[in-house]
Amino acid sequence: AVTALALVCLLLTPSFAAAQEGEDPRVASAKQWLRLVDAGNYSQSWEESGEEFKGAVTRETWEQQLTVVRSPMGAVVSRELNSTQPLTDPPSAPPGEYLVIRFSTSFEEQATATETVVLAQEGENDWKVAGYFIQ
């Protein structure tokens, strides 16, 4: 069975300070955002989201979706970068530049999963989380 949690709006401004030497700062931003979700800080991730996201999904809906999808999986055991793929003007999203980042993730209660974080470019060097999927 495939479990998917899709968000079509923007989340939190990434911080590039967490980047490991040589790591793409966009990947570091995705990892930082995932740590909020891993820690169960669903409300905080909503709070740090962009206005467009907040207009599309309420804090309560966001928390409910993540509670249903992520909580039963348990803690993250491991997460490894699988791939990155640039994408321009995807269907059903505003025109722009995107980066699709896939992680191979193992949870306590689900040995194998693919997490996909979609970043959207906003401004010259500003990338924000625009989507999150778990399969």
Side-chain angles (χ1 to χ4, degrees), residues 4-84:
L5 173 63
L7 303 178
V8 292
C9 299
L10 305 174
L11 290 177
L12 102 125
T13 302
S15 167
F16 299 121
Q20 296 176 4
E21 191 169 330
E23 181 177 46
D24 184 326
R26 299 168 298 179
V27 172
S29 296
K31 288 179 177 179
Q32 179 180 341
W33 182 83
L34 285 168
R35 283 192 290 275
L36 283 175
V37 175
D38 294 344
N41 292 331
Y42 307 150
S43 180
Q44 183 180 351
S45 68
W46 185 90
E47 190 62 42
E48 294 181 12
S49 67
E51 293 304 314
E52 189 174 336
F53 175 80
K54 290 177 183 177
V57 63
T58 66
R59 179 193 318 252
E60 293 77 19
T61 299
W62 173 239
E63 290 173 358
Q64 289 168 0
Q65 289 174 339
L66 285 178
T67 299
V68 167
V69 173
R70 279 294 301 269
S71 295
M73 294 179 171
V76 171
V77 175
S78 67
R79 176 180 288 129
E80 294 182 23
L81 178 63
N82 186 356
S83 67
T84 61

